[in-house]
Amino acid sequence: MRKPPMPRVLSLIAAVLLAAGLIGCQQPNVVDDLSDTSFQLVDTDSTAVAFPQDVAGDIVVLGYIYTNCPDVCPMTTANMKQAHQQLGAPDDVQFVTVTFDPLRDTPSVMQRYSETWEAADSDWMFLTGDTSTVNRMMRRIGIRHQVTDTTTTEDGEQIFFISHSDLVTLIDEDGRIRQHYSGSRTPPEILVEDVNKLRNGSTIR
Amino acid sequence: MIAGVLAGCASDDASAPDGAPGEASAVTPGALTVEAAWARPGGAGGMSALYARVGNGTTSPDTLQAVSAEVARTVEIHESYENDDGTRGMRPLGPIPVPTGEQIALAPGGKHVMLIRLRRALQPNDSLAVDFQFAQAGTRSMTVPVRLQPPQ
Ligand SMILES: [Cu+2]
């Protein structure tokens, strides 16, 4: 099954094109491949979602929040919302917001959060889960979250605040993390641009 | 591990809180003003953040000592901060000085007023009554709109 040797001129052209990245399988820059793992989470109506299997085939824009974070986390959700609007709620992109505070952020709390953001759509999931699964997922992706500040209300209740990574993650159709972005500070246009690059099969940066 | 692949953070100066120092901050001569106040939505029992621009056009330095709002069981002046590893958190901050001729921005990602344990849900287009308490200027009462995004 030996192939005849390629004429020298053709192989030279191929080499040049390959070097220029114009043909051949250019290796995408993959940060982490999540397709070998599965995180059993739940949606706002408590239906099970296996992440990322259940969204495989779609490009995923993934954000991390806790709903008791009214300052920084809404900046992330607002950026995702604007990207979602600019993309025109497309079929091939799934937006996912997952909490790293599952004890307080129950499915019904996440439901309320999605309604507040007018994002309770089939193409935007708001996920929570049991603590160990959520912690495992955050550790795998590299999202840090730690209770650092507490406050006591006038009626003696302890409220805690979480220091956390400020990221949004772009995952390709094959469950591979392709890029992390600052969640609160990345202009939505950049997310949209990179979603379009994934659609075209071009590399991101 | 992640820091090396961060992208998109450096374009425009989105790292500064909206309306942060650097903008031409016009104070109103002779007046202490609280402008463009707005609050985030939040669920009943949950949290919200409140923002405003405070300008001191008077000849005496002032201090924002506290903020109160009937909608929340507890109200604190807060600031968001960033750790060396890029994680972000927030913590209580004491009274905020408002020097003569300066404008202080309470803005997303920076100083803000935390509305803790909301007595009722705040939805976009709702409004809430808020009192800003200043050491010199006394109490400024106002009705503040609830918004998803900063006013333009
Ligand atoms: Cu706060």
Side-chain angles (χ1 to χ4, degrees):
Chain A
M1 294 297 287
R2 202 171 146 263
K3 281 192 266 182
M6 220 188 279
R8 180 175 295 268
V9 170
L10 276 186
S11 63
L12 200 73
I13 291 171
V16 168
L17 290 177
L18 262 175
L22 295 176
I23 62 164
C25 30
Q26 192 180 20
Q27 283 303 311
N29 194 2
V30 173
V31 179
D32 189 11
D33 186 348
L34 299 181
S35 63
D36 65 347
T37 188
S38 179
F39 302 102
Q40 298 297 319
L41 302 173
V42 288
D43 209 341
T44 52
D45 58 2
S46 295
T47 52
V49 174
F51 189 88
Q53 282 74 17
D54 287 358
V55 293
D58 281 349
I59 294 168
V60 177
V61 179
L62 175 62
Y64 320 89
I65 61 139
Y66 72 108
T67 65
N68 279 318
C69 166
D71 187 44
V72 169
C73 300
M75 299 168 79
T76 298
T77 304
N79 287 336
M80 288 175 68
K81 168 122 180 147
Q82 284 181 41
H84 186 256
Q85 284 170 334
Q86 287 173 26
L87 285 163
D91 291 339
D92 62 334
V93 185
Q94 178 71 52
F95 281 66
V96 179
T97 293
V98 58
T99 178
F100 43 76
D101 185 16
L103 285 183
R104 289 186 291 186
D105 289 340
T106 59
S108 61
V109 170
M110 295 300 280
Q111 170 70 25
R112 218 163 47 207
Y113 189 82
S114 74
E115 286 167 1
T116 294
W117 283 91
E118 293 158 8
D121 269 322
S122 59
D123 58 3
W124 196 338
M125 292 176 170
F126 290 81
L127 303 180
T128 182
D130 64 73
T131 302
S132 73
T133 304
V134 166
N135 287 348
R136 202 159 48 81
M137 175 173 169
M138 296 300 162
R139 205 175 313 123
R140 170 68 186 261
I141 298 178
I143 304 303
R144 280 175 281 229
H145 55 104
Q146 189 180 14
V147 174
T148 47
D149 298 280
T150 59
T151 231
T152 306
T153 63
E154 279 147 20
D155 37 10
E157 187 190 0
Q158 272 237 322
I159 307 275
F160 58 89
F161 302 114
I162 301 173
S163 277
H164 56 91
S165 301
D166 171 27
L167 294 176
V168 163
T169 302
L170 189 56
I171 300 175
D172 69 17
E173 306 87 318
D174 300 318
R176 299 176 300 183
I177 293 179
R178 298 291 289 274
Q179 188 74 274
H180 293 291
Y181 307 81
S182 162
S184 67
R185 293 164 174 158
T186 301
E189 293 73 21
I190 294 210
L191 294 174
V192 171
E193 194 182 311
D194 286 359
V195 164
N196 285 329
K197 283 182 185 166
L198 285 188
R199 283 169 161 170
N200 301 333
S202 51
T203 52
I204 302 170
R205 254 151 246 121
Chain B
M1 160 175 66
I2 277 170
V5 293
L6 277 177
C9 325
S11 54
D12 57 77
D13 66 345
S15 58
D18 301 329
E23 268 178 22
S25 59
V27 297
T28 307
L32 186 125
T33 53
V34 180
E35 294 174 308
W38 63 288
R40 295 272 194 202
M47 311 276 168
S48 172
L50 171 71
Y51 308 104
R53 285 197 310 265
V54 180
N56 187 356
T58 74
T59 50
S60 44
D62 211 333
T63 302
L64 175 61
Q65 289 189 302
V67 178
S68 59
E70 50 75 30
V71 74
R73 282 180 213 275
T74 297
V75 181
E76 290 181 345
I77 297 174
H78 263 210
E79 67 175 346
S80 288
Y81 62 93
E82 186 161 1
N83 298 297
D84 289 341
D85 65 359
T87 57
R88 299 185 80 182
M90 59 184 171
R91 62 193 161 210
L93 181 71
I96 300 175
V98 190
T100 298
E102 285 194 24
Q103 193 177 67
I104 303 297
L106 306 176
K111 297 184 184 77
H112 57 274
V113 177
M114 277 294 282
L115 306 177
I116 295 171
R117 279 278 171 268
L118 296 171
R119 296 180 198 276
R120 60 180 165 89
L122 294 177
Q123 290 293 332
N125 304 319
D126 287 350
S127 59
L128 58 148
V130 178
D131 292 338
F132 289 80
Q133 290 147 27
F134 294 93
Q136 303 299 321
T139 299
R140 293 296 159 86
S141 302
M142 62 196 68
T143 301
V144 171
V146 178
R147 309 175 52 102
L148 274 178
Q149 303 275 10
Q152 293 308 312

